[in-house]
């Protein structure tokens, strides 16, 4: 998720409270109908992008980075407004608790240009049902970026359908098993059980921390085909993250994520959660590790951020088994330096340099530099 200036009304929704803490507040349009308070919010954002090397797309696609032995055209300019957003929330007193709802969308569908659903959920008495941020990932270790693609290495907080229960700092959720985490195979994937995620978040005196876990059952089943066979494997992941205000206007952030069969629950993962061993017919999990580190400091009317992220998959056994080519992606890295400021309320500007690299199993690597600016008007 990019660094965006979000809105007062999102504070109504506990699942997004941490996003507010990172991204600040702005005003929204509010109205009341009976006992229900409703807020409408959004923003128009222009992204101005110059890719010094290969064209990385509307938001950074690290798979597009050319390796050092590959050639391609350099220098690409892109302007778009696809991240522009519209949403509303409601809050209604009901049965001793507030009944909250949220629906939000943007125009990044299909990689850019189509309206898509981001959030659609209701929450009452600690029970949330619908689509919103995964309970596995958080935002404490996320470094603000102007580009819409987050830095690799985080516990992924992407949005997916789920049923979640929260009490104080602890939350547990049953989540869509074929969305964020990814499938082990392109075909014959079978999902009998939802992914189970658990999270605890707390803080004291300017120091905030979170710990998350995910448990998964990965399966394939080709029963009824000429290549009949089936197998399953257990997948898991752990994520730790923290942020600390170490001085006036200075915040440090960091995270560490690791798992076996974790798949897309690791932001920017270079590999699938598992592979099928062609010799044994067994489903084997792939382990992956990632981390982020960054610092944000107040400077003039805004803030400057320097952040780093890395995600790496262990593909040695998969390559040795002949299930994965030695040209497969093994590691993604990103470094961002940006300055974001607001001359007046509801107006935000920003400039950013992003350095991105990828490495494949056989040791070849490549890198790309993206320069980006933004103009955003919020309501």
């Amino acid at each position: 998720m990019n660094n965006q200036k979000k809105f007062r009304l999102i504070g109504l929704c506990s699942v997004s409270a941490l996003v507010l803490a990172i991204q600040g507040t702005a005003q929204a349009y509010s109205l009341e109908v009976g006992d229900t308070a409703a807020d409408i919010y959004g923003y128009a954002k222009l992204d101005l992008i110059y890719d010094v090397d290969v064209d990385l797309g509307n938001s950074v696609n690290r798979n597009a980075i050319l390796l050092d032995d590959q050639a391609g055209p350099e220098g690409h300019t892109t302007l778009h407004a696809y991240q522009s957003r519209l949403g509303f929330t409601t809050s209604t007193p009901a049965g001793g608790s507030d009944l909250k709802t949220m629906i939000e969308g943007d125009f990044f569908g299909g990689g850019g240009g189509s309206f898509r659903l981001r959030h659609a959920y209701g929450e009452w008495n600690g029970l949330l049902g619908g689509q919103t941020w995964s309970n596995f990932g958080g935002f404490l270790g996320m470094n603000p970026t102007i580009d819409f693609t987050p830095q690799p290495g985080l516990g992924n907080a992407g949005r997916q359908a789920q049923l979640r229960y929260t009490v104080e700092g602890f939350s547990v959720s049953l989540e869509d098993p074929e969305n964020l985490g990814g499938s082990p195979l392109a075909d014959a994937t079978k999902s009998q059980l939802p992914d189970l995620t658990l999270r605890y978040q707390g803080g004291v005196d300017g120091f905030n921390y979170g710990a998350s876990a995910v448990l998964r059952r990965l399966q394939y089943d080709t029963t009824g085909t000429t290549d009949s066979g089936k197998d399953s494997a257990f997948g898991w992941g752990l994520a730790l993250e923290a942020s600390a205000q170490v001085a006036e206007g200075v915040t440090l952030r960091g995270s560490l994520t690791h798992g076996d069969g974790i798949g897309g629950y690791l932001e920017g993962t270079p590999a699938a959660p598992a592979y099928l061993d062609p010799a044994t017919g067994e489903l084997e999990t792939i382990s992956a590790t990632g981390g982020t580190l960054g610092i944000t400091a107040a400077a003039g009317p805004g803030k400057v951020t320097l952040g780093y992220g890395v995600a790496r998959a262990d593909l040695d056994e998969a390559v040795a088994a002949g299930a994965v080519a030695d040209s497969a992606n093994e590691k993604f890295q990103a470094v961002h330096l940006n300055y974001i400021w607001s001359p007046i309320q509801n107006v935000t500007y920003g400039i950013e340099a992003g350095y991105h690299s990828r490495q494949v199993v056989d040791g070849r690597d490549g890198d790309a530099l993206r320069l980006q600016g933004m103009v955003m008007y919020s309501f």
Side-chain angles (χ1 to χ4, degrees):
M1 178 178 180
N2 296 53
N3 179 64
Q4 306 129 5
K5 199 176 182 184
K6 292 201 73 170
F7 315 98
R8 171 179 62 80
L9 61 101
I10 303 180
L12 293 172
C13 310
S14 61
V15 71
S16 298
L18 184 54
V19 180
L20 266 176
I22 295 175
Q23 298 172 343
T25 60
Q27 198 166 9
Y29 292 106
S30 301
L31 63 147
E32 292 187 7
V33 180
D35 292 335
T36 298
D39 291 281
I40 302 171
Y41 65 94
Y43 59 75
K45 181 189 178 193
L46 172 67
D47 283 301
L48 306 96
I49 300 168
Y50 182 73
D51 287 313
V52 176
D53 304 292
V54 66
D55 184 358
L56 297 177
N58 292 324
S59 65
V60 167
N61 174 14
R62 298 185 184 93
N63 290 297
I65 298 173
L66 296 176
L67 301 176
D68 288 341
D69 61 349
Q70 297 174 327
E74 298 179 346
H76 305 268
T77 296
T78 303
L79 280 75
H80 69 75
Y82 298 142
Q83 194 183 320
S84 300
R85 189 168 301 174
L86 180 65
F88 69 89
T89 66
T90 68
S91 179
T92 307
S97 182
D98 288 337
L99 171 61
K100 304 172 185 178
T101 66
M102 180 179 189
I103 296 179
E104 178 186 283
D106 66 13
F107 298 88
F108 241 101
S114 300
F115 189 78
R116 65 170 184 172
L117 182 70
R118 286 172 53 84
H119 301 274
Y121 68 86
E123 183 179 12
W124 179 76
N125 205 26
L127 185 64
L128 179 150
Q131 176 174 303
T132 190
W133 308 115
S134 168
N135 188 48
F136 178 72
F139 300 93
L140 295 175
M142 176 179 285
N143 298 303
T145 62
I146 294 175
D147 193 275
F148 203 38
T149 301
Q151 290 184 308
L154 293 159
N156 199 337
R159 301 166 299 275
Q160 64 182 4
Q162 61 189 279
L163 181 65
R164 180 192 303 184
Y165 181 70
T166 301
V167 54
E168 297 182 350
F170 177 77
S171 52
V172 58
S173 181
L174 299 176
E175 307 194 16
D176 184 355
E178 293 188 351
N179 180 38
L180 181 62
S183 301
L185 304 172
D187 300 311
T189 293
K190 178 179 178 180
S191 298
Q192 286 185 311
L193 298 174
D195 294 341
L196 173 66
T197 65
L198 303 98
R199 178 175 175 81
Y200 181 79
Q201 183 171 317
V204 58
D205 296 333
F207 176 74
N208 296 286
Y209 58 90
S212 307
V214 59
L215 303 175
R216 317 183 63 201
R217 189 183 183 200
L218 305 170
Q219 298 173 272
Y220 86 98
D221 190 342
T222 59
T223 302
T225 71
T226 55
D227 298 322
S228 181
K230 57 183 179 180
D231 194 22
S232 64
F234 176 74
W236 60 271
L238 296 172
L240 301 174
E241 57 181 330
S243 67
Q245 184 174 339
V246 295
E248 183 68 27
V250 179
T251 300
L252 296 180
R253 300 183 187 87
S255 70
L256 180 63
T257 305
H258 176 74
D260 196 16
I262 188 173
Y265 283 100
L266 171 65
E267 175 67 51
T269 181
Y275 66 93
L276 182 63
D277 190 317
T280 64
E282 295 181 350
L283 193 63
E284 303 288 351
T285 53
I286 296 174
S287 64
T289 304
T292 62
L293 187 64
I295 182 171
T296 296
K303 295 181 179 180
V304 59
T305 296
L306 175 63
Y308 169 75
V310 58
R312 185 183 185 280
D314 185 354
L315 296 174
D316 292 345
E317 293 183 359
V319 172
V324 173
D326 61 6
S327 59
N329 292 323
E330 183 178 50
K331 182 168 68 173
F332 292 134
Q333 296 184 90
V335 178
H336 287 86
L337 176 63
N338 59 51
Y339 182 65
I340 300 169
W341 73 100
S342 294
I344 61 172
Q345 186 179 20
N346 295 0
V347 175
T348 306
Y349 302 140
I351 54 175
E352 177 174 275
Y355 174 78
H356 306 271
S357 66
R358 74 176 177 111
Q359 179 178 315
V360 298
V361 176
D362 64 16
R364 292 177 297 149
D365 57 18
D367 54 48
L369 178 63
R370 164 166 286 195
L371 305 178
Q372 187 164 349
M374 75 168 184
V375 178
M376 185 168 69
Y377 301 109
S378 307
F379 64 87

